[in-house]
Structure formats: C-alpha cells, structure tokens
Amino acid sequence: MADITRRLGWRHLRGAPTAHIRHHRDGKLLHDGPGLSFWFRALTAALSEVPVDDRELAMTFHARTSDFQDVAVQATVTYRIGDPALAAARLDFSVDPDTGVWRGAPLEQLGTLLTETAQQHALDVLARTSLSSALVDGVTAVRERVAAGLAAEPRLPATGIEVVAVRVVALRPEPEVERALRTPAREQIQQEADRATYERRAVAVERERAIAENELASQIELARREEQLVEQRGTNARREAEEHAAADAVRAEAEAARTVRLAEAEATRSVRLADAEAQRTERLAQAEAAKAVRLARAEAEAAREVGEARAQAQAAWLRVHGEVDVATLHALTGTRLAENLPRIDSVTVSPDVLTGLLARLGGSAGETA
C-alpha cells in the first residue's frame, strides 16, 4: 500500500520498491515505475499500484479418483506480475488518492483465477487415476500437470501474470479410507513386531537358560572352592595355633630370662647402693667428727683469745685508773653516770642549792691548790 500524505491541497505519494506505480492525469501517463515518490492533486490524479514481488498462493480443494474416492489436495503456487501495465489495464489496481488503499480486490481475483485453473487440471488428472496410484504417484503427476496447465493457460499472460513454481504439499484421502488403507500395513507391521517379539523372547529364554546353567556351574565351582577354603582355613588355624603356642613358649622363656636378669640386676644394684650408702655414711660421720673437732678447737682458741683480750683490757684499765688522780676519776664517774641518766629537758636550780654547790666547788678547788 502506497504511503500518501497531505499538504495544503496537494498529496505526496511514496511507493515501495516492490510496488509499480502508474499516475495518469487527464488520460496522460505522468509517472510509471516501482518505488516512485511524487506530488499530485487528488482531484485530477488517477493512481494504480501493482505489486511486482513474488507471492505465494496456498490452495486446498477436493477431487475424486477413478474409483470414486474423495481426496484432498494441498498445493502452493508462486507467481508474480511480470507486466504491471497490462495487469493494471486488465484488473482494477486503482488506489484511493487520499488513503492509498485499493478500491477493489485485485489480488483476490488473481487468486481465484489461479486456484480455479490449477484445480481444473488437478481434477482432470485425478479423475483418470485410481486411489492407490494417486497416493503413490499422484503428487508428482498433479504437480506436473498443474504446472503445465498454468503455463499453457492463455489468460494468465494476457493478464500479465507469470507462474514461478508449483508445489503439491499433500494428497490425502478421506479419514475412513485412510484408516482402512493403513490397516493392512499396520497388520503387517504388527505381525513383524510380534515375530520380532517372539524371536526376542526365544533368544531371551535361551539366554536365561544359558545364564541359569552358568549360575549353576558357578555355584558348584563356588561350593567346591568354599570347601577348599574351609580346609585351608582349618589348616591355617592349626598352623596359627601352633605358631602362637611356639611364640608363647618363646615369649615365656624370654620373660623368665628377663625376670631373672632383672632380679640379678636389682640385687646387684641394691648391694651397690648399700655399699655406696655405707661409704657415704662413713664419710659423712668422719666429716662430722672432724668438723666437730675443728669447731671445738676453734671455740677453745676463740675463748682463750677472748679471755686474754679481756685480761689485757682489764689490766690496762687498772693501770690507767691507777695512774689518774682522784678528781679525774670523779669526772669520769660523773660523765659515765650522765651518760646513763635519762634525758632532762629542764633543770630548776634554787639559790640554796646553787650556794651549796659553789661552796663545795670552791672547797674542792682550794684543796686541790
């Protein structure tokens, strides 16, 4: 369909590359060709649009064979419009200048023409062919006859139509007839399937018998080997018991020998420990005795030295005091007493005491002089 737009009383048409546009005005052809684009006035323009692309026309119709059986034919015809000017002159491809839509139905007319022509040739072929032959070779025969008939049809070139290809998709009888025709084949297939099933079962039974024989032989062989295994296990158990007994005897002898060695070693060790303890005790006793002797000697020597030192100090003290006068001794005695007296914070001396002390000190000084 052409694309038409409006602008102030003018119309602009833009066609597709697969559409042949013819523009007449006052009986004159102004534009002619595919994919055109131009301006025109709607009141004076006569437009037609012819599609030039390949188109598929699917058709389904019924026919009757020579043995009066109905069959359904499904076919497809590919065609194109080879002469757009001739097709526009023979069919109404005019379009509305405002919408670009066809005023008529030209493609439906072409479809009716092609369908009726193809149906006529297909009916002619199938009317001379039995149903069985039609089901076997009918597709090829119908396709060739329809293609030849459409090529020889004079009205198609006169309308500018070219037939590109013809395909017959299917040729099928009525459902009841088709089921009846399928029955022998199904029976044969079922028989073949049953025979295959029986053969498969026979083979399975034979294989099962072989498997059972093999299992029985395997069980016999397993029982024999089980017997051998039991005997071997008994022999192994006896041998293992003998080896355990021998090992236990060797272990007992070794344990006894080890116990004897340990007892001897323990006795020797005890003797050695007793001797060492005795020697250590003896050495400790000797050391304690020597230490006691040394300590006694040291204490005696220290006591003797201390006594001598005290005697010498006493003698020296006596010598010193024997040589010193009586006043000095009194002073020393007072000093010694003062050192041993408690601390006196304050002393109150009365006049009487002070007079007596001064008198006594004066008398002492006179005697000394």
Side-chain angles (χ1 to χ4, degrees), residues 182-211:
R182 288 179 179 176
T183 300
R186 287 183 177 180
E187 292 293 335
Q188 184 177 0
I189 294 172
Q190 187 64 37
Q191 292 176 2
E192 293 293 334
D194 294 339
R195 183 167 58 254
T197 302
Y198 296 150
E199 292 177 356
R200 186 166 57 252
R201 288 180 179 176
V203 172
V205 170
E206 183 65 23
R207 290 180 179 177
E208 288 178 358
R209 184 184 62 79
I211 291 172

Side-chain angles (χ1 to χ4, degrees), residues 22-238:
R22 292 174 62 83
H23 176 208
H24 292 80
R25 187 179 63 190
D26 297 334
K28 295 181 180 180
L29 182 62
L30 300 181
H31 298 91
D32 185 18
L36 297 180
S37 178
F38 54 86
W39 291 91
F40 66 94
R41 286 186 176 275
L43 297 177
T44 60
L47 303 174
S48 61
E49 181 182 6
V50 181
V52 294
D53 56 339
D54 292 350
R55 292 183 172 268
E56 303 286 339
L57 176 63
M59 58 186 70
T60 301
F61 53 87
H62 292 272
R64 180 169 293 181
T65 61
S66 61
D67 49 359
F68 303 102
Q69 298 296 326
D70 291 335
V71 293
V73 181
Q74 296 179 359
T76 302
V77 176
T78 304
Y79 71 96
R80 73 169 65 97
I81 298 176
D83 191 347
L86 183 59
R90 300 295 300 274
L91 298 174
D92 185 11
F93 283 97
S94 62
V95 297
D96 190 332
D98 292 328
T99 62
V101 180
W102 280 317
R103 297 179 183 274
L107 295 182
E108 294 181 3
Q109 296 177 5
L110 287 178
T112 302
L113 175 61
L114 291 172
T115 301
E116 291 178 352
T117 304
Q119 183 175 359
Q120 178 181 356
H121 293 288
L123 293 176
D124 190 14
V125 173
L126 294 175
R128 297 182 177 87
T129 306
S130 64
L131 178 61
S132 59
S133 300
L135 295 178
V136 175
D137 300 324
V139 173
T140 302
V142 171
R143 183 180 66 250
E144 293 176 353
R145 180 62 180 274
V146 170
L150 291 176
E153 179 65 29
R155 188 179 175 184
L156 297 179
T159 315
I161 300 174
E162 298 178 0
V163 177
V164 178
V166 176
R167 297 186 301 278
V168 177
V169 181
L171 196 152
R172 303 184 62 177
E174 293 292 328
E176 296 81 3
V177 177
E178 187 174 3
R179 283 194 296 270
L181 292 174
R182 288 179 179 176
T183 300
R186 287 183 177 180
E187 292 293 335
Q188 184 177 0
I189 294 172
Q190 187 64 37
Q191 292 176 2
E192 293 293 334
D194 294 339
R195 183 167 58 254
T197 302
Y198 296 150
E199 292 177 356
R200 186 166 57 252
R201 288 180 179 176
V203 172
V205 170
E206 183 65 23
R207 290 180 179 177
E208 288 178 358
R209 184 184 62 79
I211 291 172
E213 292 179 355
N214 292 333
E215 289 180 352
L216 181 59
S218 299
Q219 291 178 0
I220 294 172
E221 182 65 21
L222 287 175
R224 186 178 62 81
R225 293 189 178 182
E226 184 70 23
E227 183 179 0
Q228 294 177 357
L229 180 61
V230 170
E231 293 178 358
Q232 186 65 35
R233 284 179 177 175
T235 303
N236 293 338
R238 289 192 299 273

